[in-house]
Amino acid sequence: MTTQLKSLDEWVRKVAELTRPDRIHWCSGSEQEYRQLIEQMLGDGTLIELNQQHYPGCYLHRSDPLDVARVEHLTFVCTSNADDAGPNNNWKSPDDAKRMMRECFSTCMRGRTMYVIPYCMGPLDSPYARCGVEITDSPYVVANMYLMTRMGDAALKRIERDGNFVQGLHSTGELDPERRYIVHFPEEITIMSYGSGYGGNALLGKKCHALRIASYQGRSEGWLAEHMLIVGIQSPAGETHYLACAFPSQCGKTNLAMLIPPEGYEDWKVWTLGDDIAWMHLDGSGQLRAINPEAGYFGVVPGTNRKTNPNAYDMIEADTIFTNVAVTADNQPWWEGRETGEPVLDWVGKPYERANGPAAHPNSRFTVSAKQNPCYSELADAPEGVPISAVVFGGRRSELAPLVFQARDWAHGVLVGAGVASETTAAATGQVGVVRRDPMAMKPFCGYNYGDYWAHWLSFANRSDRLPKVFQVNWFRRDSGGRFLWPGFGENLRVLRWIIERCAGRIGADELPIGYLPRPGDLDVTGIDVSEDTLRQLLSVDSAQWRAELDDIGQYLASFGDRLPPELSSEHDKIRRALEA
């Protein structure tokens, strides 16, 4: 018996009987094991060695050209009652889903190695951490899980001590897009994924466990699992505030998490605790505290350069797995926005021709340990997490949403989060550039009915009077000519500064129907190319546009029927009346 936990040993045995692997390997999580996996994948062509002089320890993986993003239409939440999954999820009955997945997994690992990956999401000694075990036939998945999670022997010891874990079963199968399913059973804390080798579909500790299953667990246990970065901002006076920020994919999450203070703000410091996921709990005093359950980054690489994100650019120059980028003549990784070098082979390995489209796939990725980030915070390993001063929602909107505004209170903040919409990106399959409703940036990731999810959020107001302030930001507003009005990137610290000052109660605001906005002069724009007229456009609120937006939000909320919390409807009506007045 490889583990002392009988339930784990029996589950591994049953999976082996179903999938029929040639051998079983229990992952230790050691660096030696990682290096052996890399050598194995270099040998069979799963990985390609990149220029080791300029990119030591870096490798390229080319996925199947039809397997390059999350497949939301083939992602299912399987609950006994369909209403518990909600209209925000694709639902299958648990019995039908298990029957379908058993058929897929039957003998699928014949000729392959079955890897058993015990992992911990969050600091190993944190009461807020949760553990899982992923079984996979993909060494690429194992290597990524090594970088992304706290995996191996130490995690197994915690699993044996706790006696419970999320069960995750994955196989790349035959990579047939018609037989590709990502299936969740939240009532049984179980995940099954078949037919994909892409990160979000195959790295089951990430979106599947850390969001879909964990959000369900959080509702049951009284905490929140959210699609949020965690960033620490330290002022020249030494005061540090931590912000949890929710943005849909490719809306600037990684750039904000690793923000470099701009010119004039050199005395400010920014600390990264996480770039994608936050688990938030109330401590004994009613303070909302957050941990990052991940130990690494699986980031979108196009657009990353020394100007947009110097920390990320430096971080991925060593010990990184790149997926679906292009390469230069001297075998360095290349992507659109890199600003140096020229691609000679595109992301599928063919000679690059501009007429064929981007050299790197728009959703190409890097996987790297978080500790390589120059602004990594040691508090990312703190068992108690960090105190959250502000929750910030955002999205990619070319019109409507002002640069920043604050919700009046927690209930209003939940409505702000529930109404978030953003223009779609290449991180998911489907048409790009369409505005879709993406509440709390959790549309693809909430593991249960959104109505119940909002009710869970609202319940925190009854449990604490020390909740964070809630804000919404929009870095992407454009003028009539299509030009971005706000410079973004490091200059976003100016907006975060206003948010922090509001949290500390040191600065006023103008009250509008949609919330509190900066007063003229309160937002520092000295030294940047933002005129008074531009700032006025950035902070303008068009009542007619917002009435139309509220109508659309109202229709969306109504689609959840009697699961919609009455308090959310009340907040919506209140703002609608104020806009009409």
Side-chain angles (χ1 to χ4, degrees):
M1 198 165 134
T2 314
T3 175
Q4 299 175 15
L5 187 61
K6 185 177 179 181
S7 60
L8 173 55
D9 185 67
E10 289 181 349
W11 177 58
V12 171
R13 178 176 51 79
K14 287 179 181 178
V15 170
E17 289 175 356
L18 174 66
T19 60
R20 301 290 180 177
D22 281 13
R23 62 186 292 266
I24 300 173
H25 175 79
W26 286 71
C27 297
S28 67
S30 68
E31 183 178 355
Q32 179 184 10
E33 179 182 66
Y34 175 75
R35 295 299 167 195
Q36 288 172 344
L37 285 166
I38 295 296
E39 291 302 318
Q40 173 187 325
M41 289 187 283
L42 289 172
D44 65 20
T46 302
L47 292 183
I48 298 167
E49 187 173 74
L50 293 169
N51 186 312
Q52 295 298 291
Q53 178 182 353
H54 295 286
Y55 282 82
C58 292
Y59 307 93
L60 168 63
H61 172 69
R62 293 187 179 119
S63 72
D64 185 283
L66 297 178
D67 184 26
V68 294
R70 295 191 315 271
V71 283
E72 293 174 19
H73 66 293
L74 296 172
T75 299
F76 298 93
V77 171
C78 305
T79 50
S80 303
N81 182 343
D83 286 343
D84 291 340
N88 48 297
N89 283 305
N90 301 314
W91 178 83
K92 279 186 182 294
S93 76
D95 289 343
D96 288 347
K98 288 176 184 176
R99 195 159 38 244
M100 176 182 74
M101 298 309 283
R102 276 197 299 270
E103 181 184 331
C104 289
F105 282 113
S106 179
T107 71
C108 71
M109 294 188 189
R110 186 167 283 159
R112 305 181 185 182
T113 297
M114 186 176 98
Y115 299 94
V116 182
I117 312 170
Y119 64 90
C120 182
M121 302 302 289
L124 281 160
D125 54 348
S126 173
Y128 304 144
R130 297 292 184 271
C131 293
V133 177
E134 175 168 3
I135 294 176
T136 181
D137 54 11
S138 167
Y140 169 78
V141 166
V142 181
N144 277 268
M145 290 288 282
Y146 172 83
L147 296 172
M148 291 293 301
T149 70
R150 298 157 175 91
M151 64 90 97
D153 293 341
L156 180 58
K157 287 179 181 177
R158 170 153 180 171
I159 290 168
E160 291 174 335
R161 186 179 76 242
D162 293 350
N164 56 68
F165 59 95
V166 172
Q167 296 182 358
L169 174 56
H170 166 260
S171 173
T172 56
E174 62 272 44
L175 294 175
D176 180 355
E178 301 303 316
R179 274 168 56 91
R180 179 172 295 157
Y181 308 106
I182 299 86
V183 183
H184 306 74
F185 304 89
E187 294 160 344
E188 304 171 41
I189 60 169
T190 296
I191 307 158
M192 297 181 186
S193 173
Y194 184 85
S196 173
Y198 169 76
N201 305 327
L203 309 179
L204 300 188
K206 195 164 177 59
K207 307 298 191 186
C208 296
H209 176 169
L211 289 177
R212 296 190 190 99
I213 295 297
S215 63
Y216 186 94
Q217 284 183 301
R219 193 264 302 261
S220 304
E221 300 172 5
W223 51 280
L224 294 165
E226 299 299 325
H227 186 209
M228 292 180 173
L229 66 92
I230 311 169
V231 63
I233 311 291
Q234 183 177 317
S235 72
E239 180 182 277
T240 302
H241 287 265
Y242 296 95
L243 282 59
C245 308
F247 299 105
S249 293
Q250 292 192 327
C251 285
K253 277 204 318 295
T254 303
N255 287 349
L256 185 61
M258 303 180 194
L259 183 146
I260 298 287
E263 186 176 343
Y265 280 72
E266 290 85 356
D267 292 339
W268 289 69
K269 294 180 180 178
V270 177
W271 309 106
T272 308
L273 286 96
D275 79 322
D276 196 39
I277 299 174
W279 287 358
M280 299 188 290
H281 302 69
L282 289 174
D283 66 14
S285 69
Q287 171 68 58
L288 196 66
R289 306 186 73 91
I291 64 167
N292 172 18
E294 300 186 292
Y297 305 127
F298 181 69
V300 176
V301 69
T304 303
N305 56 55
R306 291 204 182 279
K307 178 184 177 183
T308 61
N309 197 331
N311 284 326
Y313 190 83
D314 292 343
M315 177 179 68
I316 60 178
E317 288 187 316
D319 300 319
T320 300
I321 296 175
F322 291 92
T323 299
N324 293 338
V325 297
V327 293
T328 63
D330 62 347
N331 216 32
Q332 293 189 48
W334 193 92
W335 54 88
E336 276 68 20
R338 186 172 183 258
E339 295 194 331
T340 59
E342 294 290 337
V344 295
L345 296 179
D346 65 17
W347 65 276
V348 295
K350 294 182 179 179
Y352 171 61
E353 295 183 20
R354 189 179 299 274
N356 292 338
H361 190 276
N363 196 38
S364 55
R365 297 277 175 159
F366 60 79
T367 316
V368 65
S369 167
K371 291 184 177 179
Q372 289 187 203
N373 180 3
C375 58
Y376 174 79
S377 171
E378 295 295 334
L379 289 178
D381 294 311
E384 70 278 10
V386 295
I388 299 299
S389 297
V391 168
V392 182
F393 296 113
R396 180 180 287 269
R397 298 297 296 267
S398 56
E399 298 183 16
L400 183 81
L403 178 62
V404 59
F405 70 91
Q406 178 188 349
R408 290 186 309 274
D409 53 30
W410 185 255
H412 180 205
V414 175
L415 178 64
V416 169
V420 165
S422 189
E423 295 164 13
T424 53
T425 70
T429 54
Q431 190 174 356
V432 173
V434 176
V435 173
R436 74 167 183 176
R437 204 61 59 188
D438 193 356
M440 279 79 167
M442 282 284 282
K443 174 66 169 67
F445 310 123
C446 183
Y448 61 105
N449 189 306
Y450 250 150
D452 298 340
Y453 169 82
W454 295 322
H456 179 48
W457 265 81
L458 290 165
S459 73
F460 279 72
N462 299 321
R463 298 170 56 196
S464 173
D465 58 2
R466 299 184 58 194
L467 294 174
K469 307 296 184 186
V470 181
F471 299 82
Q472 180 171 309
V473 299
N474 176 29
W475 318 129
F476 303 100
R477 194 155 177 173
R478 298 173 185 259
D479 62 16
S480 57
R483 181 183 66 91
F484 285 115
L485 293 168
W486 182 249
F489 305 119
E491 307 300 349
N492 292 339
L493 182 55
R494 298 169 185 270
V495 177
L496 300 185
R497 180 181 180 181
W498 183 82
I499 287 173
I500 289 167
E501 292 296 306
R502 288 292 295 167
C503 291
R506 291 191 291 257
I507 199 167
D510 284 334
E511 184 173 4
L512 276 72
I514 68 166
Y516 300 110
L517 271 76
R519 299 174 306 189
D522 282 346
L523 197 62
D524 177 24
V525 293
T526 56
I528 59 174
D529 185 21
V530 175
S531 66
E532 288 185 15
D533 181 63
T534 298
L535 188 58
R536 198 159 39 244
Q537 292 181 65
L538 281 164
L539 297 175
S540 66
V541 174
D542 185 306
S543 294
Q545 283 189 338
W546 272 96
R547 285 194 295 271
E549 178 77 356
L550 263 289
D551 288 345
D552 192 65
I553 291 173
Q555 292 175 16
Y556 178 73
L557 296 179
S559 69
F560 292 88
D562 59 7
R563 295 287 183 122
L564 180 68
E567 191 174 355
L568 210 56
S569 297
S570 176
E571 283 295 322
H572 176 269
D573 292 344
K574 189 187 304 181
I575 296 172
R576 190 68 171 82
R577 288 194 301 271
L579 283 166
E580 288 172 348

